[in-house]
C-alpha cells in the first residue's frame, strides 16, 4: 500500500483561514521556525554533527535535537553559542 500524498502547505493554509486562534499561533511561531531551519541548514553545510556541536558548546546532543525538532524553544544563550560555533 502506497503512502497517501499530503499537501501540508494546503492544510496549514486552510487551518489559518478557518481558525483565528491557529492563525495567531502560526504567526507567532513563524519566525522561530524559520530561524531554526536556517540553523539546521548552516550546521549541515559545515558538516557538523549534532553531537560535535553539543560537545563544543557544552550541551548534550539531545538538547540540540530537541531544538532542531522544535520540541522546545532554545534559550538565547544556546542560539548564540550555536551560531558562534558554526561560524556566524
Amino acid at each position: 500500500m502506497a503512502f497517501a500524498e499530503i499537501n501540508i502547505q494546503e492544510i496549514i493554509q486552510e487551518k489559518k483561514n478557518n481558525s483565528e486562534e491557529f492563525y495567531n499561533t502560526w504567526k507567532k511561531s513563524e519566525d522561530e521556525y524559520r530561524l531554526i531551519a536556517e540553523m539546521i541548514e548552516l550546521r549541515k553545510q559545515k558538516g557538523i554533527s549534532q553531537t560535535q556541536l553539543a560537545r563544543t558548546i557544552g550541551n548534550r546532543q539531545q538538547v540540540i535535537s530537541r531544538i532542531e525538532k522544535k520540541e522546545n524553544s532554545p534559550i538565547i544563550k544556546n542560539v548564540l553559542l550555536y551560531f558562534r560555533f558554526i561560524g556566524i
Side-chain angles (χ1 to χ4, degrees):
M1 180 174 180
F3 288 106
E5 283 193 38
I6 298 173
N7 185 334
I8 193 68
Q9 295 298 333
E10 187 177 292
I11 293 169
I12 291 170
Q13 189 60 48
E14 184 178 319
K15 285 188 174 275
K16 288 185 341 187
N17 291 341
N18 295 326
S19 169
E20 186 176 345
E21 180 182 358
F22 182 88
Y23 176 82
N24 291 334
T25 301
W26 179 266
K27 290 307 284 180
K28 287 178 186 175
S29 65
E30 195 172 32
D31 291 335
E32 184 177 339
Y33 275 78
R34 191 178 2 251
L35 175 62
I36 291 171
E38 289 179 26
M39 291 167 63
I40 294 166
E41 181 63 27
L42 289 168
R43 178 183 61 74
K44 288 180 177 181
Q45 284 177 1
K46 300 276 185 171
I48 301 167
S49 71
Q50 288 181 345
T51 302
Q52 290 171 307
L53 176 62
R55 285 183 184 148
T56 303
I57 67 174
N59 256 312
R60 296 172 312 180
Q61 180 272 332
Q62 292 86 347
V63 172
I64 303 302
S65 176
R66 287 185 190 119
I67 291 169
E68 292 186 358
K69 288 181 180 178
K70 300 161 192 83
E71 291 177 354
N72 62 9
S73 295
I75 60 173
I76 192 70
K77 174 185 150 216
N78 285 340
V79 172
L80 294 174
L81 288 170
Y82 190 114
F83 280 134
R84 187 173 298 132
F85 179 70
I86 59 175
I88 300 299

